[in-house]
Amino acid sequence: MPLPRITTPLSLSLKASILIAMSIERMNSSVLVSLIFYSIILTSAMEPPCKKTCGPTPIKYPFGSGPGCGSPRFHPYVACSGPTNQLLLTTHTGTYPITSVDYSAAVVTISPPCMSNCTTMRPTSLKFGLDWAGPFQLGPSTFILLGCSFSSTSSLLCDATSSAYLCPTICSCPGAAALQLPGNGGCCVYSPASLDPRDELDVAGLGCAAYSSVVAVGDEPTDPATWRYGVALKYTMGGLDGYGMAPGCHGCELSGGVCGYAPPRNSFVCVCESGNTTTDCNGYNWIYMSSSFKLRTGVFWLGMAVWLAVKL
C-alpha cells in the first residue's frame, strides 16, 4: 500500500512521529529499502535529487546526474560532477568530460585529456578504453595516430586515402612542433578504428607517440583549427525494458519529472523537482517534503527506517 501524503511541520511533534512510524511499519521490505535509499539522496543537498542539466549539457533518459537518476544501466558510467558541474564518463582507464550529447542519434562526444588537437599536442602513454560490459562503443569519429614508427604493425592499420589529406593538414597545426614529428609526421589515419582485446586504444603499443580524434572537419576541411575534435561513442539501451522503465519514462518527462530508479529491484520511479518519487509528477506522490526542511525531515526518516529494518 502506498504511503499517505505527509506534510511535516517545522518541529515534529511526538504524535506526528508515532503516525509516521505506524505508516512505515505497514511497508514491505522492498518499499523500506527504497525509503532508505531516497532518504540518503534527499539529505545530500537542498536541491532536487536528480538534475535536468549538468552545466550547459541537458540530462535526459537514459543518463542521470547521480545514483537513483536515469537508468541503472548507465550508472556509474555517467554522472554529473558536483565540483566542476561537468557531465563525465568513467571507464576502467579514466574519467572523461562529455562535451556533447546527441540524444536522437544516441551518440556522446568525449574529450580525453591525453588526446591531441590542433592547438595542443603531447606525447602520451595513457590508454583510452571502454568497459567491455558497458553500454558504449566507438562511434563515428576518425582516429589519427601521430609520431608513429612505420616499422611497427601500426602501418598495417592506416587508411591510405584518408591519410593522404588528413595527415599533412593536421601536421601543419601549431601544436605539432611539440611532438618533434619526422618529415612525414609519422602520421596514420587509424581506420577502421578498433580497440584491443582489453577494449583499449594503446597508442604506445601501436608504435606511436600521440593520437587525435576528429568528429567532423566542418565546412573548411583544409583548416584543422576549425575541426571538431573528440571521441564519438554510440550507446545502446539494450535490455533496459526489463527494468520496466521505458513505458513510464515518457509520461514522467512530460509531467516535468526526471526518470529514475529505486533499489532493490531498480524499479522505475519519477523524481520530481520537490524531491517526490512517484509514477509522474501530476499523480499521487509517495513522499512529500518541502525543500525548506528537507534535510531535517530526511534525517528523521532515515533514522526511523534503519531502526525498523533492524526490528523487522
Side-chain angles (χ1 to χ4, degrees):
M1 183 179 81
L3 275 175
R5 182 174 178 138
I6 299 171
T7 54
T8 311
L10 184 61
S11 177
L12 286 170
S13 65
L14 177 61
K15 182 177 180 180
S17 301
I18 293 174
L19 288 174
I20 293 173
M22 292 174 63
S23 298
I24 297 177
E25 284 183 320
R26 291 196 294 269
M27 286 189 267
N28 59 36
S29 59
S30 176
V31 175
L32 186 60
V33 172
S34 299
L35 178 58
I36 296 173
F37 180 76
Y38 272 99
S39 295
I40 295 173
I41 293 178
L42 292 174
T43 58
S44 63
M46 299 302 289
E47 60 185 9
C50 295
K51 299 178 181 179
K52 295 182 180 179
T53 61
C54 183
T57 307
I59 304 177
K60 299 179 182 179
Y61 178 84
F63 302 137
S65 58
C69 309
S71 163
R73 179 80 171 95
F74 287 82
H75 179 80
Y77 298 109
V78 176
C80 182
S81 170
T84 61
N85 206 25
Q86 170 78 57
L87 199 62
L88 301 174
L89 168 69
T90 299
T91 73
H92 69 282
T93 55
T95 297
Y96 310 102
I98 295 176
T99 56
S100 68
V101 183
D102 186 340
Y103 288 98
S104 60
V107 173
V108 301
T109 301
I110 63 173
S111 181
C114 60
M115 182 189 73
S116 295
N117 55 44
C118 193
T119 304
T120 305
M121 294 187 180
R122 61 178 70 87
T124 181
S125 59
L126 297 177
K127 299 176 182 179
F128 164 72
L130 300 175
D131 290 358
W132 182 82
F136 294 95
Q137 60 184 345
L138 290 180
S141 53
T142 301
F143 282 88
I144 304 176
L145 305 179
L146 300 164
C148 299
S149 169
F150 287 107
S151 61
S152 69
T153 56
S154 63
S155 61
L156 301 176
L157 306 171
C158 299
D159 181 333
T161 303
S162 298
S163 298
Y165 73 92
L166 289 178
C167 283
T169 306
I170 197 170
C171 288
S172 68
C173 286
L179 289 179
Q180 298 181 346
L181 299 175
N184 61 0
C187 179
C188 165
V189 174
Y190 185 43
S191 179
S194 62
L195 303 180
D196 65 21
R198 295 180 296 277
D199 265 358
E200 296 174 353
L201 175 66
D202 184 359
V203 175
L206 292 171
C208 302
Y211 78 96
S212 184
S213 180
V214 180
V215 177
V217 297
D219 296 329
E220 300 184 41
T222 59
D223 184 3
T226 65
W227 293 356
R228 184 182 168 204
Y229 294 89
V231 178
L233 303 174
K234 289 190 66 67
Y235 61 86
T236 175
M237 292 189 267
L240 286 178
D241 286 347
Y243 290 112
M245 297 183 64
C249 186
H250 182 63
C252 170
E253 291 181 337
L254 287 178
S255 70
V258 177
C259 302
Y261 60 94
R265 296 183 178 88
N266 290 336
S267 54
F268 168 77
V269 293
C270 183
V271 184
C272 306
E273 290 186 0
S274 61
N276 304 339
T277 56
T278 179
T279 55
D280 66 73
C281 295
N282 296 325
Y284 186 82
N285 296 327
W286 295 358
I287 305 169
Y288 175 82
M289 293 186 181
S290 66
S291 59
S292 61
F293 39 87
K294 184 186 295 180
L295 178 64
R296 181 172 180 173
T297 311
V299 171
F300 170 79
W301 278 67
L302 177 61
M304 291 294 297
V306 172
W307 180 78
L308 283 171
V310 174
K311 297 290 287 184
L312 295 175

